[in-house]
Amino acid sequence: MDYMNLNAFISKKTTPVDYLTSWEAPSNIALIKYWGKQDSQIPKNPSLSFTLSSSVSKTEVSFKPKKSGKFDFDFYFEKKLKPEFKPKLQIFFKRIESYIPWIKEHDLIIKSHNSFPHSSGIASSASAMASLSLCLMDLERHFFPSMNKSFFYQKASFLARLGSGSAARSVLGPVALWGENRTLETCSNLYAINLGEDLNPVFKSYQDTILLVDRGIKVISSSKGHDLMHEHPFASNRFLQASNNLDSLLPIMKSGDIDAFIKIVELEALSLHAMMMTSTPYFILIKPNTLEIIQRIWDFRMSQKIPICFTLDAGANVHLLYPLEYKRHVLSFIDTDLKSFCENEQYLIDQVGQGARKL
Ligand code: PMV
């Protein structure tokens, strides 16, 4: 790790203030998957994601000068006090306190809300941690107003990473890249960057329709899954495969070669789940309906010559990815052929978005 860079993220102590801010941050879906990490959420391979648009977390933080005792906070989710979420947030604050030492002089009330249905199987940690980190950075910018925009987002992504690795990628859009790699020197293991200029217009409005196959509680948490990569017999080849896939995908994101895009994205999704199925202990997150949907996507792609493809997160839900111009055709295919394989016939229509915003 580059400790020179790390020092740049340590801010000074300041005089505590009363401050209220709220930020909205989107969820993201990885095309090149992050699965396996070292200490401090340093990824074993680079990852790349589409930032989403409608699936967002909104977080409001009220800061007050601390009256007495230790640093403390209350956390509300969907308007209800949720003490059961506190331990995860306590770990997060412990990890970031040396970078924002002023936090210890404040009491916080955090209120968070998700646009997507609760327990829909959509991971909310990325959008939640990103929106919270942006609120923290908002107060830091209030303390240090000369801070430039690029540092603001860089440090927000840096803090978000310490909450949940993939949250580093939920700060910026439309495509975020996290982790050192051979092709882009500006990338870092500490925070995500925006792919920006090097993105073909077709991807700026790319569609992600999320088929909710199973809303159940995950059999294994993503942190446990990352840990299992330490002893995984295929780990080093998997990390190399992901890096190579990223090298191949970057020029495709620029050229807009959708057929080549599909081959890498589906390979990444299945490789992620192959790692899960070959860990010790092994586990399976996909369901029979996930496979049924995948088969139907392939049949539809062949017969209709429409370039849709799928990717998977750490769960059974299927993300259906396709260019905007096919939206009507694909939604009608979902209605007739796919929705019956979703729990309560539910799916979410989303698309690539621009990243977080202040409310
Ligand atoms: O950010 P975490 O620790 O929840 O890990 C996320 C892992 C995947 O969602 C499966 C892949 C990814 O790159 O987002």
Side-chain angles (χ1 to χ4, degrees):
M1 196 190 307
D2 187 342
Y3 289 97
M4 281 281 283
N5 279 346
L6 218 47
N7 285 337
F9 290 115
I10 301 175
S11 83
K12 298 192 186 67
K13 271 197 168 182
T14 55
T15 318
V17 291
D18 259 304
Y19 195 73
L20 180 71
T21 179
S22 57
W23 277 78
E24 174 186 293
S27 182
N28 71 74
I29 179 66
L31 306 176
I32 303 292
K33 310 289 183 181
Y34 149 63
W35 197 245
K37 63 181 174 185
Q38 308 166 47
D39 287 347
S40 317
Q41 317 270 79
I42 296 300
K44 287 285 203 175
N45 63 256
S47 57
L48 177 144
S49 55
F50 276 148
T51 306
L52 297 182
S53 171
S54 311
S55 309
V56 297
S57 293
K58 292 180 186 187
T59 300
E60 177 194 279
V61 183
S62 148
F63 300 85
K64 296 245 182 286
K66 187 161 60 66
K67 292 214 181 67
S68 61
K70 285 203 303 206
F71 164 75
D72 200 13
F73 62 90
D74 282 331
F75 179 75
Y76 292 80
F77 182 66
E78 313 291 6
K79 298 196 169 137
K80 290 198 187 83
L81 192 61
K82 293 275 179 190
E84 64 270 35
F85 289 166
K86 262 185 111 166
K88 194 165 181 208
L89 284 164
Q90 262 151 350
I91 295 172
F92 172 57
F93 283 117
K94 199 84 214 129
R95 283 185 189 153
I96 64 172
E97 67 180 18
S98 56
Y99 301 106
I100 52 167
W102 47 262
I103 191 86
K104 284 180 271 183
E105 313 298 326
H106 292 84
D107 285 324
L108 273 54
I109 298 175
I110 307 165
K111 294 180 180 167
S112 204
H113 165 81
N114 287 345
S115 67
F116 40 91
H118 187 49
S119 321
S120 58
I122 305 284
S124 63
S125 57
S127 51
M129 288 298 182
S131 54
L132 174 57
S133 299
L134 284 153
C135 290
L136 299 172
M137 282 311 291
D138 207 36
L139 176 53
E140 182 153 301
R141 185 169 53 185
H142 174 81
F143 288 136
F144 307 103
S146 61
M147 176 188 297
N148 69 34
K149 196 173 163 188
S150 104
F151 181 80
F152 174 89
Y153 284 104
Q154 214 171 70
K155 186 164 172 185
S157 171
F158 172 89
L159 296 178
R161 182 195 102 244
L162 292 166
S164 166
S166 57
R169 300 186 313 240
S170 264
V171 167
L172 299 159
V175 171
L177 186 47
W178 169 43
E180 285 161 17
N181 64 83
R182 287 184 290 264
T183 317
L184 267 181
E185 271 189 7
T186 45
C187 284
S188 169
N189 282 339
L190 301 177
Y191 51 83
I193 64 161
N194 193 344
L195 196 56
E197 310 287 275
D198 288 329
L199 187 64
N200 190 280
V202 72
F203 294 119
K204 293 186 182 157
S205 58
Y206 226 68
Q207 299 295 299
D208 179 9
T209 307
I210 309 160
L211 305 173
L212 303 176
V213 174
D214 183 53
R215 297 144 43 103
I217 305 291
K218 272 193 226 163
V219 290
I220 203 150
S221 69
S222 65
S223 39
K224 181 89 183 109
H226 286 292
D227 277 355
L228 293 176
M229 289 304 281
H230 291 306
E231 302 294 322
H232 200 295
F234 307 144
S236 56
N237 278 332
R238 163 60 199 150
F239 303 141
L240 188 62
Q241 178 203 30
S243 289
N244 290 341
N245 282 343
L246 178 73
D247 289 343
S248 310
L249 187 61
L250 285 171
I252 293 168
M253 298 309 287
K254 194 169 184 174
S255 70
D257 178 347
I258 307 282
D259 290 338
F261 171 86
I262 289 174
K263 289 198 181 93
I264 294 176
V265 169
E266 292 190 343
L267 174 61
E268 274 292 306
L270 295 177
S271 301
L272 168 71
H273 283 262
M275 290 302 108
M276 298 170 180
M277 293 182 203
T278 48
S279 299
T280 306
Y282 44 82
F283 57 103
I284 303 181
L285 298 184
I286 51 175
K287 300 279 178 193
N289 281 352
T290 312
L291 293 178
E292 185 65 49
I293 289 170
I294 290 174
Q295 191 56 56
R296 281 167 187 256
I297 291 168
W298 287 344
D299 293 346
F300 178 80
R301 186 160 81 211
M302 279 280 279
S303 65
Q304 303 296 306
K305 308 273 178 281
I306 288 183
I308 59 170
C309 70
F310 72 87
T311 190
L312 305 165
D313 214 339
N317 297 335
V318 181
H319 289 248
L320 210 53
L321 304 175
Y322 51 96
L324 175 63
E325 65 178 291
Y326 301 107
K327 187 170 179 179
R328 215 171 43 85
H329 207 130
V330 173
L331 288 181
S332 116
F333 163 58
I334 292 172
D335 259 357
T336 53
D337 284 61
L338 302 183
K339 110 181 158 189
S340 58
F341 299 103
C342 299
E343 207 174 316
N344 302 325
E345 305 207 330
Q346 276 194 313
Y347 56 91
L348 303 173
I349 300 174
D350 210 335
Q351 62 174 350
V352 169
Q354 290 309 308
R357 65 188 181 104
K358 187 170 169 148
L359 298 171

